[in-house]
Amino acid sequence: MNARIVLVHDDLLVVQEIADALRGVGHSVAATTDSLLAIGVLDTDRPIDLLVTRVFFLAGRPTGRPHGVTLARMAKQREPEAKVLFVALPWKQRLIGALGEFLPMPVAATDVVQAVNQILSAHS
């Protein structure tokens, strides 16, 4: 299964590790630490299959940038069939409503790959 995935996380090492793991199982991954750049990826003509993001990005990031919940809404608006996986601390699960699936942190890249594959296979 080769899915087109957008990965947005504010930690570059996490982005690299998860993106490499997802690519290693055959997915096409556009990965970034900047939510504004993620919007550019969402705005392309190529639809995405899945957005992987945090609920909120760490404090100290430039203000005026969308958080993960906003990105999820934008992704769903552009591509209603797109799936969303939030990877965040457990208490943040209540903030996502029905926007997507939730994977509580801390996680390993292999956990994210497993969750991604389960989401994609459940909706194929």
Short mmCIF file of all heavy atoms in Angstrom, two decimals, residues 58-122:
data_model
loop_
_atom_site.label_atom_id
_atom_site.label_comp_id
_atom_site.label_asym_id
_atom_site.label_seq_id
_atom_site.Cartn_x
_atom_site.Cartn_y
_atom_site.Cartn_z
N LEU A 58 4.87 23.09 19.85
CA LEU A 58 5.49 23.61 21.06
C LEU A 58 5.47 25.12 21.14
O LEU A 58 5.55 25.81 20.12
CB LEU A 58 6.94 23.12 21.15
CG LEU A 58 7.11 21.62 21.36
CD1 LEU A 58 8.59 21.27 21.37
CD2 LEU A 58 6.47 21.17 22.66
N ALA A 59 5.43 25.59 22.38
CA ALA A 59 5.51 27.04 22.61
C ALA A 59 6.84 27.55 22.07
O ALA A 59 7.81 26.82 21.97
CB ALA A 59 5.39 27.31 24.10
N GLY A 60 6.87 28.81 21.74
CA GLY A 60 8.09 29.38 21.21
C GLY A 60 8.14 29.37 19.69
O GLY A 60 9.02 29.94 19.09
N ARG A 61 7.17 28.71 19.07
CA ARG A 61 7.09 28.73 17.61
C ARG A 61 6.56 30.10 17.20
O ARG A 61 5.90 30.77 17.97
CB ARG A 61 6.14 27.63 17.10
CG ARG A 61 6.48 26.22 17.57
CD ARG A 61 7.80 25.74 17.08
NE ARG A 61 7.68 25.36 15.69
CZ ARG A 61 8.68 24.94 14.96
NH1 ARG A 61 9.87 24.87 15.47
NH2 ARG A 61 8.51 24.61 13.72
N PRO A 62 6.82 30.51 15.99
CA PRO A 62 6.28 31.81 15.56
C PRO A 62 4.76 31.83 15.69
O PRO A 62 4.08 30.85 15.38
CB PRO A 62 6.70 31.89 14.10
CG PRO A 62 7.87 30.97 13.98
CD PRO A 62 7.63 29.87 14.98
N THR A 63 4.23 32.95 16.15
CA THR A 63 2.78 33.07 16.29
C THR A 63 2.14 33.19 14.91
O THR A 63 2.78 33.50 13.93
CB THR A 63 2.43 34.31 17.13
OG1 THR A 63 2.99 35.46 16.52
CG2 THR A 63 2.94 34.17 18.55
N GLY A 64 0.86 32.93 14.88
CA GLY A 64 0.12 33.05 13.64
C GLY A 64 0.19 31.82 12.76
O GLY A 64 -0.31 31.83 11.64
N ARG A 65 0.78 30.77 13.24
CA ARG A 65 0.87 29.54 12.46
C ARG A 65 -0.21 28.58 12.94
O ARG A 65 -0.48 28.47 14.12
CB ARG A 65 2.25 28.90 12.61
CG ARG A 65 3.33 29.77 12.03
CD ARG A 65 4.68 29.09 12.07
NE ARG A 65 5.73 29.99 11.66
CZ ARG A 65 6.07 30.24 10.41
NH1 ARG A 65 5.44 29.66 9.43
NH2 ARG A 65 7.04 31.08 10.13
N PRO A 66 -0.84 27.87 12.01
CA PRO A 66 -1.92 26.95 12.40
C PRO A 66 -1.40 25.77 13.22
O PRO A 66 -0.27 25.33 13.04
CB PRO A 66 -2.49 26.48 11.07
CG PRO A 66 -1.42 26.74 10.06
CD PRO A 66 -0.61 27.88 10.57
N HIS A 67 -2.23 25.30 14.13
CA HIS A 67 -1.90 24.11 14.90
C HIS A 67 -2.46 22.89 14.19
O HIS A 67 -3.07 22.99 13.12
CB HIS A 67 -2.38 24.23 16.35
CG HIS A 67 -3.83 24.61 16.48
ND1 HIS A 67 -4.86 23.79 16.10
CD2 HIS A 67 -4.41 25.75 16.93
CE1 HIS A 67 -6.02 24.37 16.33
NE2 HIS A 67 -5.77 25.58 16.83
N GLY A 68 -2.23 21.72 14.76
CA GLY A 68 -2.62 20.47 14.12
C GLY A 68 -4.11 20.32 13.86
O GLY A 68 -4.52 19.78 12.84
N VAL A 69 -4.93 20.80 14.79
CA VAL A 69 -6.38 20.70 14.60
C VAL A 69 -6.80 21.54 13.38
O VAL A 69 -7.61 21.10 12.56
CB VAL A 69 -7.13 21.14 15.88
CG1 VAL A 69 -8.63 21.20 15.64
CG2 VAL A 69 -6.81 20.17 17.02
N THR A 70 -6.22 22.71 13.25
CA THR A 70 -6.51 23.55 12.09
C THR A 70 -6.05 22.88 10.79
O THR A 70 -6.77 22.88 9.79
CB THR A 70 -5.85 24.94 12.23
OG1 THR A 70 -6.37 25.56 13.41
CG2 THR A 70 -6.11 25.81 11.02
N LEU A 71 -4.85 22.31 10.81
CA LEU A 71 -4.36 21.59 9.63
C LEU A 71 -5.30 20.44 9.26
O LEU A 71 -5.57 20.21 8.09
CB LEU A 71 -2.96 21.05 9.88
CG LEU A 71 -1.82 22.06 9.90
CD1 LEU A 71 -0.51 21.37 10.25
CD2 LEU A 71 -1.71 22.78 8.57
N ALA A 72 -5.78 19.73 10.27
CA ALA A 72 -6.69 18.62 10.00
C ALA A 72 -7.97 19.11 9.34
O ALA A 72 -8.46 18.50 8.38
CB ALA A 72 -7.00 17.88 11.30
N ARG A 73 -8.51 20.20 9.83
CA ARG A 73 -9.73 20.76 9.23
C ARG A 73 -9.48 21.19 7.79
O ARG A 73 -10.31 20.98 6.91
CB ARG A 73 -10.24 21.93 10.07
CG ARG A 73 -10.84 21.48 11.37
CD ARG A 73 -11.43 22.65 12.13
NE ARG A 73 -12.00 22.19 13.38
CZ ARG A 73 -11.75 22.73 14.57
NH1 ARG A 73 -10.95 23.78 14.66
NH2 ARG A 73 -12.30 22.23 15.64
N MET A 74 -8.32 21.80 7.56
CA MET A 74 -7.98 22.23 6.20
C MET A 74 -7.82 21.03 5.28
O MET A 74 -8.29 21.05 4.14
CB MET A 74 -6.70 23.06 6.23
CG MET A 74 -6.87 24.37 6.96
SD MET A 74 -5.31 25.23 7.18
CE MET A 74 -5.21 26.06 5.61
N ALA A 75 -7.16 19.99 5.77
CA ALA A 75 -6.97 18.78 4.96
C ALA A 75 -8.31 18.16 4.61
O ALA A 75 -8.55 17.77 3.46
CB ALA A 75 -6.09 17.78 5.70
N LYS A 76 -9.21 18.08 5.57
CA LYS A 76 -10.53 17.50 5.34
C LYS A 76 -11.36 18.35 4.40
O LYS A 76 -12.14 17.82 3.60
CB LYS A 76 -11.27 17.33 6.66
CG LYS A 76 -10.68 16.31 7.59
CD LYS A 76 -11.09 14.96 7.16
CE LYS A 76 -10.95 13.97 8.30
NZ LYS A 76 -11.38 12.65 7.87
N GLN A 77 -11.20 19.65 4.48
CA GLN A 77 -11.93 20.54 3.59
C GLN A 77 -11.47 20.35 2.14
O GLN A 77 -12.27 20.32 1.22
CB GLN A 77 -11.75 21.99 4.01
CG GLN A 77 -12.55 22.97 3.18
CD GLN A 77 -12.36 24.40 3.68
OE1 GLN A 77 -11.35 24.74 4.26
NE2 GLN A 77 -13.37 25.22 3.44
N ARG A 78 -10.17 20.21 1.96
CA ARG A 78 -9.62 20.06 0.61
C ARG A 78 -9.81 18.65 0.07
O ARG A 78 -9.99 18.45 -1.12
CB ARG A 78 -8.14 20.41 0.63
CG ARG A 78 -7.88 21.90 0.77
CD ARG A 78 -6.43 22.17 1.14
NE ARG A 78 -6.07 23.57 1.13
CZ ARG A 78 -6.37 24.43 2.09
NH1 ARG A 78 -7.06 24.04 3.14
NH2 ARG A 78 -5.99 25.69 2.00
N GLU A 79 -9.72 17.68 0.97
CA GLU A 79 -9.81 16.27 0.57
C GLU A 79 -10.65 15.54 1.62
O GLU A 79 -10.12 15.01 2.59
CB GLU A 79 -8.40 15.67 0.48
CG GLU A 79 -8.36 14.26 -0.02
CD GLU A 79 -8.90 14.13 -1.43
OE1 GLU A 79 -8.63 15.00 -2.28
OE2 GLU A 79 -9.61 13.15 -1.69
N PRO A 80 -11.98 15.52 1.46
CA PRO A 80 -12.86 14.93 2.47
C PRO A 80 -12.54 13.48 2.83
O PRO A 80 -12.81 13.05 3.95
CB PRO A 80 -14.25 15.03 1.84
CG PRO A 80 -14.13 16.17 0.88
CD PRO A 80 -12.73 16.10 0.35
N GLU A 81 -11.93 12.73 1.92
CA GLU A 81 -11.61 11.34 2.20
C GLU A 81 -10.28 11.17 2.94
O GLU A 81 -9.93 10.07 3.36
CB GLU A 81 -11.56 10.54 0.90
CG GLU A 81 -12.89 10.50 0.17
CD GLU A 81 -13.99 9.86 1.01
OE1 GLU A 81 -13.74 8.81 1.63
OE2 GLU A 81 -15.09 10.43 1.05
N ALA A 82 -9.53 12.26 3.10
CA ALA A 82 -8.24 12.17 3.79
C ALA A 82 -8.44 11.77 5.25
O ALA A 82 -9.40 12.19 5.90
CB ALA A 82 -7.51 13.51 3.72
N LYS A 83 -7.54 10.97 5.74
CA LYS A 83 -7.55 10.54 7.13
C LYS A 83 -6.54 11.38 7.90
O LYS A 83 -5.60 11.94 7.34
CB LYS A 83 -7.19 9.05 7.24
CG LYS A 83 -8.06 8.15 6.38
CD LYS A 83 -9.51 8.32 6.69
CE LYS A 83 -10.37 7.50 5.74
NZ LYS A 83 -11.55 8.17 5.32
N VAL A 84 -6.73 11.43 9.22
CA VAL A 84 -5.83 12.21 10.08
C VAL A 84 -5.43 11.35 11.27
O VAL A 84 -6.28 10.67 11.87
CB VAL A 84 -6.51 13.50 10.59
CG1 VAL A 84 -5.55 14.28 11.48
CG2 VAL A 84 -6.99 14.36 9.42
N LEU A 85 -4.15 11.39 11.58
CA LEU A 85 -3.63 10.74 12.78
C LEU A 85 -2.94 11.81 13.62
O LEU A 85 -1.98 12.43 13.17
CB LEU A 85 -2.63 9.63 12.43
CG LEU A 85 -1.90 8.99 13.62
CD1 LEU A 85 -2.89 8.32 14.58
CD2 LEU A 85 -0.85 8.01 13.14
N PHE A 86 -3.45 12.02 14.81
CA PHE A 86 -2.83 12.93 15.76
C PHE A 86 -1.91 12.12 16.67
O PHE A 86 -2.33 11.08 17.20
CB PHE A 86 -3.88 13.63 16.62
CG PHE A 86 -4.75 14.60 15.87
CD1 PHE A 86 -5.97 14.20 15.36
CD2 PHE A 86 -4.33 15.90 15.66
CE1 PHE A 86 -6.78 15.09 14.67
CE2 PHE A 86 -5.13 16.80 14.96
CZ PHE A 86 -6.35 16.39 14.46
N VAL A 87 -0.71 12.61 16.87
CA VAL A 87 0.25 11.99 17.78
C VAL A 87 0.54 13.04 18.85
O VAL A 87 1.18 14.06 18.56
CB VAL A 87 1.54 11.56 17.05
CG1 VAL A 87 2.51 10.91 18.02
CG2 VAL A 87 1.21 10.62 15.90
N ALA A 88 0.04 12.82 20.06
CA ALA A 88 0.14 13.85 21.09
C ALA A 88 0.01 13.23 22.48
O ALA A 88 -0.28 12.04 22.62
CB ALA A 88 -0.95 14.89 20.87
N LEU A 89 0.23 14.06 23.47
CA LEU A 89 0.07 13.62 24.85
C LEU A 89 -1.38 13.21 25.09
O LEU A 89 -2.31 13.80 24.51
CB LEU A 89 0.46 14.74 25.81
CG LEU A 89 1.94 15.14 25.76
CD1 LEU A 89 2.19 16.39 26.60
CD2 LEU A 89 2.82 13.99 26.24
N PRO A 90 -1.59 12.20 25.93
CA PRO A 90 -2.94 11.63 26.10
C PRO A 90 -4.04 12.63 26.43
O PRO A 90 -5.16 12.51 25.92
CB PRO A 90 -2.75 10.61 27.23
CG PRO A 90 -1.31 10.22 27.14
CD PRO A 90 -0.59 11.46 26.70
N TRP A 91 -3.77 13.64 27.24
CA TRP A 91 -4.83 14.57 27.64
C TRP A 91 -5.35 15.40 26.48
O TRP A 91 -6.43 15.98 26.56
CB TRP A 91 -4.37 15.46 28.79
CG TRP A 91 -3.31 16.48 28.44
CD1 TRP A 91 -1.97 16.33 28.54
CD2 TRP A 91 -3.54 17.80 27.93
NE1 TRP A 91 -1.33 17.47 28.13
CE2 TRP A 91 -2.27 18.39 27.75
CE3 TRP A 91 -4.67 18.53 27.61
CZ2 TRP A 91 -2.11 19.68 27.25
CZ3 TRP A 91 -4.51 19.82 27.12
CH2 TRP A 91 -3.24 20.39 26.95
N LYS A 92 -4.61 15.46 25.38
CA LYS A 92 -5.04 16.27 24.24
C LYS A 92 -6.04 15.55 23.33
O LYS A 92 -6.61 16.16 22.43
CB LYS A 92 -3.82 16.70 23.43
CG LYS A 92 -2.93 17.65 24.22
CD LYS A 92 -1.74 18.08 23.43
CE LYS A 92 -0.87 19.00 24.28
NZ LYS A 92 0.35 19.40 23.58
N GLN A 93 -6.28 14.28 23.61
CA GLN A 93 -7.21 13.52 22.77
C GLN A 93 -8.60 14.15 22.75
O GLN A 93 -9.27 14.17 21.72
CB GLN A 93 -7.29 12.07 23.22
CG GLN A 93 -8.17 11.23 22.33
CD GLN A 93 -8.09 9.75 22.64
OE1 GLN A 93 -7.46 9.34 23.59
NE2 GLN A 93 -8.73 8.95 21.83
N ARG A 94 -9.02 14.69 23.86
CA ARG A 94 -10.36 15.28 23.94
C ARG A 94 -10.52 16.51 23.05
O ARG A 94 -11.63 16.95 22.76
CB ARG A 94 -10.69 15.64 25.38
CG ARG A 94 -9.79 16.70 25.97
CD ARG A 94 -10.11 16.98 27.45
NE ARG A 94 -9.12 17.83 28.05
CZ ARG A 94 -9.06 19.16 27.91
NH1 ARG A 94 -9.97 19.77 27.18
NH2 ARG A 94 -8.13 19.88 28.50
N LEU A 95 -9.41 17.06 22.57
CA LEU A 95 -9.44 18.28 21.77
C LEU A 95 -9.65 18.03 20.28
O LEU A 95 -9.91 18.98 19.53
CB LEU A 95 -8.14 19.07 21.96
CG LEU A 95 -7.81 19.46 23.40
CD1 LEU A 95 -6.42 20.07 23.48
CD2 LEU A 95 -8.87 20.40 23.96
N ILE A 96 -9.56 16.77 19.84
CA ILE A 96 -9.63 16.51 18.41
C ILE A 96 -11.03 16.15 17.91
O ILE A 96 -11.26 16.15 16.71
CB ILE A 96 -8.63 15.43 17.97
CG1 ILE A 96 -9.00 14.07 18.55
CG2 ILE A 96 -7.21 15.83 18.33
CD1 ILE A 96 -8.25 12.92 17.93
N GLY A 97 -11.93 15.87 18.82
CA GLY A 97 -13.28 15.51 18.41
C GLY A 97 -13.27 14.33 17.47
O GLY A 97 -12.57 13.35 17.69
N ALA A 98 -14.01 14.45 16.38
CA ALA A 98 -14.10 13.37 15.40
C ALA A 98 -13.22 13.63 14.18
O ALA A 98 -13.43 13.05 13.13
CB ALA A 98 -15.55 13.21 14.96
N LEU A 99 -12.20 14.47 14.35
CA LEU A 99 -11.35 14.84 13.20
C LEU A 99 -10.45 13.72 12.74
O LEU A 99 -9.98 13.73 11.61
CB LEU A 99 -10.49 16.05 13.56
CG LEU A 99 -11.15 17.40 13.41
CD1 LEU A 99 -10.22 18.49 13.91
CD2 LEU A 99 -11.53 17.66 11.97
N GLY A 100 -10.14 12.78 13.61
CA GLY A 100 -9.22 11.73 13.20
C GLY A 100 -8.93 10.75 14.31
O GLY A 100 -9.59 10.75 15.35
N GLU A 101 -7.93 9.94 14.07
CA GLU A 101 -7.48 8.94 15.04
C GLU A 101 -6.44 9.57 15.96
O GLU A 101 -5.85 10.60 15.62
CB GLU A 101 -6.88 7.74 14.31
CG GLU A 101 -7.81 7.09 13.31
CD GLU A 101 -9.03 6.47 13.96
OE1 GLU A 101 -8.90 5.93 15.09
OE2 GLU A 101 -10.10 6.50 13.35
N PHE A 102 -6.20 8.93 17.09
CA PHE A 102 -5.28 9.47 18.08
C PHE A 102 -4.30 8.40 18.54
O PHE A 102 -4.70 7.28 18.84
CB PHE A 102 -6.07 10.00 19.29
CG PHE A 102 -5.24 10.75 20.28
CD1 PHE A 102 -4.98 12.09 20.10
CD2 PHE A 102 -4.70 10.11 21.38
CE1 PHE A 102 -4.20 12.80 21.01
CE2 PHE A 102 -3.92 10.79 22.29
CZ PHE A 102 -3.67 12.14 22.11
N LEU A 103 -3.03 8.75 18.59
CA LEU A 103 -1.98 7.88 19.08
C LEU A 103 -1.27 8.62 20.21
O LEU A 103 -0.65 9.65 19.98
CB LEU A 103 -0.99 7.54 17.96
CG LEU A 103 0.13 6.56 18.28
CD1 LEU A 103 -0.44 5.19 18.67
CD2 LEU A 103 1.06 6.43 17.08
N PRO A 104 -1.38 8.12 21.46
CA PRO A 104 -0.78 8.84 22.58
C PRO A 104 0.74 8.74 22.59
O PRO A 104 1.31 7.68 22.31
CB PRO A 104 -1.40 8.17 23.80
CG PRO A 104 -1.81 6.82 23.36
CD PRO A 104 -2.11 6.93 21.89
N MET A 105 1.38 9.86 22.92
CA MET A 105 2.83 9.91 23.08
C MET A 105 3.18 9.45 24.49
O MET A 105 2.37 9.57 25.38
CB MET A 105 3.33 11.35 22.89
CG MET A 105 3.24 11.82 21.46
SD MET A 105 3.68 13.57 21.27
CE MET A 105 5.27 13.68 21.99
N PRO A 106 4.36 8.97 24.70
CA PRO A 106 5.47 8.85 23.75
C PRO A 106 5.28 7.65 22.82
O PRO A 106 4.65 6.66 23.21
CB PRO A 106 6.70 8.68 24.64
CG PRO A 106 6.18 8.04 25.87
CD PRO A 106 4.76 8.55 26.04
N VAL A 107 5.82 7.77 21.62
CA VAL A 107 5.73 6.71 20.63
C VAL A 107 7.06 6.55 19.90
O VAL A 107 7.85 7.49 19.84
CB VAL A 107 4.63 6.98 19.57
CG1 VAL A 107 3.26 7.01 20.19
CG2 VAL A 107 4.89 8.26 18.82
N ALA A 108 7.23 5.38 19.35
CA ALA A 108 8.37 5.13 18.46
C ALA A 108 7.87 5.25 17.03
O ALA A 108 6.67 5.17 16.77
CB ALA A 108 8.93 3.72 18.71
N ALA A 109 8.79 5.43 16.12
CA ALA A 109 8.42 5.54 14.70
C ALA A 109 7.66 4.30 14.25
O ALA A 109 6.72 4.40 13.45
CB ALA A 109 9.66 5.76 13.85
N THR A 110 8.03 3.14 14.77
CA THR A 110 7.34 1.91 14.39
C THR A 110 5.87 1.93 14.84
O THR A 110 5.01 1.37 14.17
CB THR A 110 8.05 0.67 14.96
OG1 THR A 110 8.19 0.83 16.38
CG2 THR A 110 9.42 0.48 14.33
N ASP A 111 5.60 2.58 15.97
CA ASP A 111 4.21 2.71 16.43
C ASP A 111 3.39 3.55 15.46
O ASP A 111 2.24 3.24 15.17
CB ASP A 111 4.15 3.37 17.82
CG ASP A 111 4.86 2.58 18.90
OD1 ASP A 111 4.85 1.34 18.84
OD2 ASP A 111 5.43 3.22 19.81
N VAL A 112 4.00 4.62 14.96
CA VAL A 112 3.32 5.49 14.01
C VAL A 112 3.06 4.73 12.70
O VAL A 112 1.96 4.79 12.16
CB VAL A 112 4.12 6.78 13.75
CG1 VAL A 112 3.43 7.63 12.69
CG2 VAL A 112 4.29 7.57 15.05
N VAL A 113 4.06 3.99 12.23
CA VAL A 113 3.88 3.20 11.00
C VAL A 113 2.74 2.20 11.17
O VAL A 113 1.88 2.07 10.29
CB VAL A 113 5.20 2.48 10.61
CG1 VAL A 113 4.95 1.46 9.50
CG2 VAL A 113 6.25 3.49 10.20
N GLN A 114 2.71 1.53 12.30
CA GLN A 114 1.65 0.55 12.55
C GLN A 114 0.28 1.24 12.57
O GLN A 114 -0.67 0.75 11.95
CB GLN A 114 1.89 -0.17 13.87
CG GLN A 114 0.85 -1.23 14.16
CD GLN A 114 1.13 -1.96 15.47
OE1 GLN A 114 2.02 -1.60 16.23
NE2 GLN A 114 0.34 -2.98 15.74
N ALA A 115 0.17 2.38 13.25
CA ALA A 115 -1.10 3.09 13.30
C ALA A 115 -1.52 3.58 11.91
O ALA A 115 -2.69 3.46 11.53
CB ALA A 115 -1.01 4.26 14.27
N VAL A 116 -0.58 4.11 11.15
CA VAL A 116 -0.86 4.58 9.79
C VAL A 116 -1.38 3.43 8.94
O VAL A 116 -2.40 3.56 8.25
CB VAL A 116 0.40 5.21 9.16
CG1 VAL A 116 0.26 5.34 7.66
CG2 VAL A 116 0.68 6.56 9.79
N ASN A 117 -0.71 2.31 8.97
CA ASN A 117 -1.12 1.17 8.16
C ASN A 117 -2.51 0.65 8.57
O ASN A 117 -3.29 0.25 7.72
CB ASN A 117 -0.07 0.08 8.19
CG ASN A 117 1.16 0.46 7.37
OD1 ASN A 117 1.10 1.31 6.49
ND2 ASN A 117 2.29 -0.16 7.69
N GLN A 118 -2.79 0.68 9.88
CA GLN A 118 -4.11 0.24 10.34
C GLN A 118 -5.20 1.20 9.84
O GLN A 118 -6.25 0.76 9.39
CB GLN A 118 -4.15 0.17 11.86
CG GLN A 118 -3.40 -1.02 12.41
CD GLN A 118 -3.35 -1.02 13.93
OE1 GLN A 118 -3.61 0.01 14.59
NE2 GLN A 118 -3.00 -2.15 14.52
N ILE A 119 -4.94 2.49 9.91
CA ILE A 119 -5.92 3.48 9.45
C ILE A 119 -6.16 3.31 7.95
O ILE A 119 -7.30 3.29 7.51
CB ILE A 119 -5.44 4.91 9.77
CG1 ILE A 119 -5.46 5.15 11.27
CG2 ILE A 119 -6.28 5.94 9.03
CD1 ILE A 119 -4.72 6.41 11.71
N LEU A 120 -5.10 3.21 7.21
CA LEU A 120 -5.24 3.09 5.75
C LEU A 120 -5.91 1.79 5.34
O LEU A 120 -6.75 1.78 4.43
CB LEU A 120 -3.86 3.21 5.09
CG LEU A 120 -3.21 4.59 5.21
CD1 LEU A 120 -1.78 4.53 4.70
CD2 LEU A 120 -4.02 5.66 4.49
N SER A 121 -5.60 0.69 6.00
CA SER A 121 -6.22 -0.58 5.61
C SER A 121 -7.69 -0.63 6.05
O SER A 121 -8.50 -1.24 5.38
CB SER A 121 -5.43 -1.76 6.19
OG SER A 121 -5.50 -1.77 7.60
N ALA A 122 -8.03 0.05 7.12
CA ALA A 122 -9.42 0.07 7.57
C ALA A 122 -10.31 0.89 6.64
O ALA A 122 -11.51 0.69 6.60
CB ALA A 122 -9.50 0.64 8.99
#
